[in-house]
Amino acid sequence: MKLGTPRWWYVRSGGPAPLTRALLTPISWLWAASTARRIAKAIPTEVGAPVICVGNVTMGGAGKTPIVRELLLTLNRRGVEAHGLSRGYGGKLKGPVRVDPTRHTAAEVGDEPLMLAQDFPMWVARDRAAGAIAASAAGAGAIVMDDGHQNPSVRKALSLVVVDGETRGGEWPFGDGRVFPAGPMREPLKVGLARADAVIVLLPVDMPQPDFDLLVEFGDMPVLVARLEPAAPVPEGPQVGFAGVGKPWKVEKALTAAGCQLVDFAPFPDHGAYDEATLKMLADRAKAYDAGLVTTEKDWIRLPPAWRARVTPWPVRARFDDEAALEELLGKAGL
């Protein structure tokens, strides 16, 4: 059974569950040491095309996939045939395989690759180097790798770290800095940033500027600001929302900020499958409120086909504040 993301991970100091944190801390030391050892020993593979890695230093919920979509779109506008590459988390196919949205399911290739494959060439591969080589052989002029900052198997032309810029209400993207499972970090912040070329701070659409204290964390690194904006209006009338993403509470906030009349909201674990009993429970809840059902594109793509007509997907897109800065960054990477 998949577990949801602990919200106490994202409390900067003095958060709840101090005993749990303390008990998990020795495991986090082992996790960090194992990651550092694996990265230090690796010899990255040249795959035949420039690779842009869109990763993060936390366990999830930073907003990598919308950034991947925007980069693929930007590269295609520049005349570069860009392909996406993903591990295919949640899918059973090991790959390398090019995702066919008319044939594959989320259970086979993962929800994010299937979602992106509606618009772009997408590959899934557990062996990321093999997947990148396959994409290059198929004509990719550039490869945008969704996740992989801690995967050293591929030579990267550009490494971008996405950071959730939501710091209101006591939330902090790095928690108290502890590594998984004692906190949200995949590795210590300074260690992860040292391998990055730039940071992308992703803000909610209703947050005017990034927190200055957050920007200080990045020192002299280039920082680009992007905003997660609605790509379509929210559905009209009362709605029961649900989401199985890294930080489902962010979806609830975003729907409310966009003007959705939410009467209830149900969080689920990231990438989790929706069984018939769960969907019937959500439908019954909506019926009790005389409401519709709304969810994210990523969740909608995981629904059984018979349920998709009963649920409204609400799409969002990442928009960069300074598109010229993004173009300059891509240019320096030879793209």
Side-chain angles (χ1 to χ4, degrees):
M1 182 181 70
K2 291 180 178 289
L3 299 177
T5 305
R7 288 199 71 165
W8 54 260
W9 269 1
Y10 299 99
V11 177
R12 191 173 187 180
S13 61
L19 180 59
T20 301
R21 291 173 189 256
L23 291 172
L24 293 174
T25 295
I27 303 174
S28 75
W29 296 335
L30 295 174
W31 178 283
S34 175
T35 300
R37 199 161 46 242
R38 176 167 47 81
I39 292 171
K41 289 182 176 180
I43 301 175
T45 301
E46 294 284 357
V47 300
V51 175
I52 301 173
C53 177
V54 181
N56 60 13
V57 290
T58 55
M59 292 305 293
K64 296 186 307 299
T65 303
I67 296 296
V68 168
R69 188 200 295 266
E70 190 63 17
L71 285 171
L72 287 167
L73 187 62
T74 299
L75 287 165
N76 282 316
R77 282 201 302 256
R78 290 168 70 97
V80 178
E81 184 180 340
H83 292 208
L85 172 64
S86 170
R87 181 183 180 276
Y89 188 86
K92 64 183 180 183
L93 297 183
K94 293 182 179 180
V97 61
R98 183 165 174 169
V99 179
D100 181 347
T102 67
R103 180 169 61 89
H104 289 127
T105 65
E108 292 172 323
V109 298
D111 48 18
E112 291 159 349
L114 186 60
M115 180 179 73
L116 291 172
Q118 312 296 316
D119 301 306
F120 306 101
M122 283 296 303
W123 296 79
V124 295
R126 303 284 173 84
D127 181 337
R128 220 67 65 86
I133 290 169
S136 177
I143 297 163
V144 182
M145 184 161 65
D146 189 353
D147 209 356
H149 190 59
Q150 289 75 29
N151 185 321
S153 65
V154 175
R155 178 79 61 189
K156 297 158 187 170
L158 187 62
S159 288
L160 306 174
V161 166
V162 182
V163 173
D164 178 9
E166 176 62 90
T167 55
R168 297 170 296 185
E171 195 166 326
W172 192 251
F174 314 121
D176 66 359
R178 297 194 212 199
V179 173
F180 175 86
M185 306 300 296
R186 296 187 181 193
E187 57 184 326
L189 179 60
K190 289 184 179 179
V191 173
L193 292 180
R195 298 193 314 279
D197 297 300
V199 171
I200 299 173
V201 176
L202 187 59
L203 297 180
V205 69
D206 62 334
M207 189 171 176
Q209 296 295 331
D211 191 315
F212 177 76
D213 288 344
L214 181 60
L215 296 179
V216 168
E217 298 276 5
F218 310 130
D220 296 331
M221 290 189 69
V223 177
L224 282 69
V225 175
R227 298 175 191 277
L228 205 57
E229 299 180 350
V234 294
E236 295 183 359
Q239 300 292 322
V240 171
F242 65 97
V245 295
K247 295 179 179 177
W249 59 89
K250 287 182 62 178
V251 177
E252 182 179 10
K253 285 182 182 178
L255 281 165
T256 301
C260 185
Q261 189 183 335
L262 276 183
V263 293
D264 199 1
F265 186 86
F268 294 96
D270 197 10
H271 301 289
Y274 292 105
D275 58 27
E276 193 70 19
T278 298
L279 293 169
K280 187 176 184 307
M281 176 272 292
L282 289 168
D284 289 345
R285 193 72 172 157
K287 185 177 180 180
Y289 283 110
D290 193 20
L293 287 167
V294 62
T295 192
T296 70
E297 282 185 292
K298 175 178 163 177
D299 288 278
W300 188 85
I301 207 78
R302 295 202 306 273
L303 296 177
W307 279 91
R308 290 181 184 172
R310 303 174 64 177
V311 179
T312 301
W314 185 57
V316 294
R317 298 290 183 269
R319 303 288 185 227
F320 283 87
D321 279 7
D322 189 346
E323 292 187 0
L326 175 62
E327 297 276 355
E328 182 180 354
L329 201 59
L330 294 173
K332 288 180 180 178
L335 294 163

